[in-house]
Amino acid sequence: QLTEKLLEENRARETHWQSWQQQSQDYYTAWVHQIKAPIATMGLILQGEDTPEHRELSNELFRIEQYAEMALCYLRLESPSSDLVLQTLPLDKIIRQAVRRYAAQFVRRRLRLEYAGCADQVLTDEKWLQFILEQLLSNAVKYTPAGGCVTIEVRQGRLFITDTGMGIAPEDLPRIFEKGFTGYNGRSDKKSTGLGLYLCRQAADMLGHRLWASSEPGQGATFTLDLRRPKLEVE
């Protein structure tokens, strides 16, 4: 009887916890969607004048929008249900959408972008792949000094994003995809959340893509996204 009572209490606590967790997720998801409206409105207001102050405010607003989008993706990845839609899509279109979103940041930081286009088709989820590319471009822009270069290449089913920034310390490289890990660069920047690359790796794993990084301190970093899938033979 005591065991049955304990099991019943445990089930009740578990049910309460699951309900609370779902309510919290629903609330924060709704909050992120609602915050997008004033962000969009402020963006339109700031487009009215082209002054140094307006450009700085636009840049900070862009960062707020990034953080809101990151929070939404975090909630979606933690959710037991998934909104995954896998399709065979032109990779060039997805890359150009991500680049277009960061065009103003490249101009502001005086960075050069090199991308020659590609004709590859990839089986993926467009929204999640674009999120990964935007996060990788965000890091490249953040850690590359003015006058530097970011290169996007696609070769044999792999996508490479290379920058000429400060690079990643050897002791940090194995841990950069860990949740909450900021590393030397993140600590010196004082603005890193330690979530961007973690979410990238989680999203890549969900899509069946492989993501890794290589770097030499002071010589930049390269993030490689393997989009290839094994060919399955029907027996």
Side-chain angles (χ1 to χ4, degrees), residues 108-136:
R108 179 178 175 273
R109 296 291 297 268
R110 300 194 299 279
L111 300 177
R112 192 170 77 257
L113 175 70
E114 293 184 357
Y115 173 58
C118 71
D120 293 46
Q121 299 281 320
V122 59
L123 179 62
T124 191
D125 179 283
E126 181 175 5
K127 181 171 58 180
W128 281 109
L129 180 57
Q130 189 171 334
F131 169 77
I132 294 171
L133 297 183
E134 287 180 3
Q135 288 298 311
L136 296 179

Side-chain angles (χ1 to χ4, degrees), residues 34-47 61 65:
Q34 288 169 349
I35 204 69
K36 285 184 174 182
I39 288 174
T41 303
M42 285 188 284
L44 290 172
I45 293 170
L46 289 171
Q47 286 177 8
L61 189 62
E65 188 178 12

Side-chain angles (χ1 to χ4, degrees), residues 45-227:
I45 293 170
L46 289 171
Q47 286 177 8
E49 282 189 61
D50 186 19
T51 65
E53 291 81 7
H54 278 64
R55 286 195 290 271
E56 283 301 312
L57 286 170
S58 294
N59 178 63
E60 294 303 316
L61 189 62
F62 180 77
R63 288 180 57 209
I64 292 172
E65 188 178 12
Q66 270 189 300
Y67 291 143
E69 192 64 35
M70 193 184 295
L72 187 59
C73 288
Y74 181 84
L75 290 168
R76 285 174 177 162
L77 282 171
E78 295 294 318
S79 171
S81 60
S82 174
D83 60 347
L84 217 58
V85 180
L86 292 176
Q87 297 174 296
T88 300
L89 301 163
L91 181 57
D92 182 74
K93 176 190 170 186
I94 302 173
I95 293 173
R96 290 186 186 278
Q97 285 175 345
V99 168
R100 219 167 8 246
R101 183 131 190 251
Y102 277 82
Q105 302 300 311
F106 276 93
V107 173
R108 179 178 175 273
R109 296 291 297 268
R110 300 194 299 279
L111 300 177
R112 192 170 77 257
L113 175 70
E114 293 184 357
Y115 173 58
C118 71
D120 293 46
Q121 299 281 320
V122 59
L123 179 62
T124 191
D125 179 283
E126 181 175 5
K127 181 171 58 180
W128 281 109
L129 180 57
Q130 189 171 334
F131 169 77
I132 294 171
L133 297 183
E134 287 180 3
Q135 288 298 311
L136 296 179
L137 284 175
S138 173
N139 273 15
V141 169
K142 186 189 302 181
Y143 296 116
T144 303
C149 178
V150 177
T151 304
I152 302 174
E153 293 180 282
V154 179
R155 299 194 306 269
Q156 298 177 342
R158 290 178 176 177
L159 188 150
F160 304 87
I161 296 181
T162 304
D163 63 65
T164 57
M166 62 180 71
I168 304 167
E171 62 272 19
D172 289 345
L173 197 55
R175 300 188 58 195
I176 59 173
F177 295 106
E178 290 181 12
K179 185 177 182 179
F181 182 76
T182 57
Y184 175 79
N185 293 347
R187 288 189 293 273
S188 61
D189 180 63
K190 301 290 192 303
K191 296 175 183 176
S192 177
T193 62
L195 283 178
L197 290 179
Y198 163 76
L199 292 175
C200 283
R201 171 64 68 81
Q202 296 298 308
D205 289 346
M206 180 177 66
L207 293 172
H209 305 325
R210 289 179 59 232
L211 174 65
W212 68 93
S214 57
S215 177
E216 288 291 334
Q219 298 182 23
T222 297
F223 285 83
T224 304
L225 187 62
D226 193 339
L227 302 168

Side-chain angles (χ1 to χ4, degrees), residues 13-32:
R13 280 195 295 267
E14 187 175 354
T15 301
H16 175 74
W17 164 252
Q18 289 175 347
S19 175
W20 179 84
Q21 193 175 36
Q22 185 60 51
Q23 288 174 11
S24 296
Q25 186 167 8
D26 291 344
Y27 170 76
Y28 289 115
T29 301
W31 183 89
V32 172

